[in-house]
Amino acid sequence: MTRTGGALGPTAPAGTWHDPGALRALRTLHRSGKLAAEYGAVRGLLARMPPADLPAAGQLLSRVDPRTVRRHAPDVAVVAVAVTGHSTVAPVVAPLTAELARHGLLLEARVAPYGAYLQDLMRPPAEGLPQVTLCLLDAHTVFDDVTVPWRVEDVESAARARLALLGGAVRAHQEAGRGLLVLNTVPLLRRFTHQLIDLRSRARLGAVWREFNCGLLALAERYPGVVTVDLDPLVGEGVPACEPRTAQYARARLSDALLAACARETAHVVRASLGRGRKVLVLDLDGTLWGGVLGEAGPDGVELGAGLRGEAFQEFQRVVAQLGSQGVLLAVSSKNDEALVREALRGHPAMLLREDSFVRVNANWKAKHDNLRDIADRLGLGLDGFVFADDSLFECGLVAERLPEVAVVRVDDEPALHPSALLADGWFDLFELTEADLARAARYRTEALREEFREDVGSYEEYLEGLGIEVTLRPPGEADLARVSQLTLRTNQFHLATERLEVPRVADWLERPGRHVIAVRARDRFGDHGLVGALFLRRDGGLLRIDNFVLSCRVFSRGIEGGCVAAVLDFARSTGADAVTGRYLPSPRNAAFASFYSDHGFTVLDRDPDAADGKHGKHAVHFRHDLATRVPAPAHLRLDAAFGPFDAPRNGQGEQS
């Protein structure tokens, strides 16, 4: 965002967080025919756009040919979505286009014919499969099977039959390996409940309908590649479920407003599936976590706990604490005196977030964007994993301008609205919460002890030797699959082939002959790092291929990556392999490790057999180690590796993936 005009850019009026000129700028690009060529500016425009303008923005963006955008912006992440459902589903494309674009994603949509969802889900897999299938359901999914006159028992029978059909279709979709499937629960409309004139029957119909929706939600528990978006919270907050005229005349049985809300939730799901969820929440203090100005009121004088506004600030702290309990790292960036801040965090009787709730407290008079950079550096995390919440229009605008990769949440002067503002975008959504998530904050606090130890020793070599690092390599158990998947989804820097694998695909690797998934665990004198990495290996004739290698940024530069390669080479040698190959696929975030394999004794190959048909990416670089020399693990590591029994492919000739 430029600052040639107001605080938020040339078209932003003073004191306004959202810029009403952003939609005008998008329309100007569209009218000039430059929208595809200037697609890199779209994300910033959408970030500044009032929510009410997003549907109109989606209409403009959905008219742009994705192929043209890709010619101008070849690095843009493309998400292919097949949209299907029981009724008319095309109206969801425009809002979904805008919602995905807000997260830097380009939609390639394929809309199915009216009512073809069961066939769509059950048809055999084909080339060019979508990454995501969005299947929209509505009340007619059940009521189209109910004849007039009807009783509750008829609806119950139809709902159970429809749920059974859906279950079979979902199973077929998932067993065919057709990617992520997004379903939705179905709102029960008053037009159906009030066709029953006795109250007991209405109550029974409500129970039957909730049982049907419970069945849809259970599909997401049964299949890791399925997500069911619950529409009840959206309808409960006032989003209309249906517009009677479009429902009757266009067979669009979900309202435009509900489709837009569902599109937003779906975009959050897609973002999570691509590993783009956020990890760190950085909070302002005055006017955000408590009312009043600490420097003027003192630690005992801020609004918190007592009075209506004080209770509202305390409720917001409760919401933040809930996020923190699930592995979101909490930090503070506040223009305040540090001693006063720590006194308030330690001593205020109504404070729910204490000093040890935060992995970093930056209380000083530096610019907020500089503090955010400092927190990111100290945590060793990219700023694209950060969310910043502040009540100041100026601070929000400045951070958004200087650090566009940070998600900015502006909370206003009404603390009762703080929770909804923070939760509106599902920034921290995950597919599955793991033990590593729950232990994350404690591990980052332990990292501070390591830093203190680092400052006390003379050299980095002494530091590594003194850590007493132990590395264990084993095939993952069933309970580890979610964490292995999460590493592939969320790790960007040491991710050599940048393959994003949901849990079913990780499980598929484990089940195939000739393949190995190896989980990497690490600990040292200060504590257990947990499961920090994964190797994906494939036996192909005389070759052992490292198809992917991912390692958490928390354990960079401690020799663990070198120990893993040494273990793989030893395993290959012990199982009679002729050579080991590695694959590096460049991405915007992994460039620092482009020479990783070369640094560990591999030579670059001119070409690779798998590269001929593009299966491993046309820009991939392939490396080979002929096993003529042994590569020892770093001396400071205690390495314990057991890859399991050697299991060759059934055909004995290797496999193609």
Side-chain angles (χ1 to χ4, degrees), residues 116 126 329 459 483:
L329 301 177
S459 69
R483 172 59 178 163

Side-chain angles (χ1 to χ4, degrees), residues 532-543:
V532 294
L535 292 138
F536 293 82
L537 311 178
R538 175 168 57 95
R539 193 64 178 255
D540 185 4
L543 297 178

Side-chain angles (χ1 to χ4, degrees), residues 460-587:
Y460 196 68
E461 289 73 20
E462 289 179 283
Y463 167 66
L464 292 178
E465 186 64 38
L467 281 179
I469 302 171
E470 302 174 12
V471 180
T472 303
L473 289 87
R474 293 285 191 281
E478 186 174 350
D480 300 320
L481 297 187
R483 172 59 178 163
V484 172
S485 169
Q486 186 182 81
L487 281 166
T488 72
L489 293 174
R490 302 186 70 180
T491 304
N492 295 305
Q493 296 180 63
F494 194 102
H495 194 170
L496 298 187
T498 55
E499 279 199 58
R500 312 295 184 181
L501 302 178
E502 292 86 9
V503 170
R505 293 184 64 192
V506 176
D508 181 62
W509 263 92
L510 282 168
E511 293 170 0
R512 293 200 188 188
R515 295 194 179 195
H516 297 264
V517 180
I518 304 300
V520 182
R521 291 176 171 82
R523 61 178 298 114
D524 60 29
R525 61 182 285 187
F526 292 103
D528 190 352
H529 289 287
L531 204 165
V532 294
L535 292 138
F536 293 82
L537 311 178
R538 175 168 57 95
R539 193 64 178 255
D540 185 4
L543 297 178
L544 181 65
R545 298 183 179 275
I546 307 175
D547 272 8
N548 198 10
F549 184 10
V550 56
L551 190 70
S552 170
C553 60
R554 289 189 287 110
V555 293
F556 283 174
S557 303
R558 297 179 189 179
I560 293 172
E561 54 271 38
C564 291
V565 168
V568 170
L569 296 177
D570 285 345
F571 172 69
R573 191 178 289 107
S574 69
T575 55
D578 300 322
V580 174
T581 64
R583 178 166 63 103
Y584 167 71
L585 185 63
S587 77

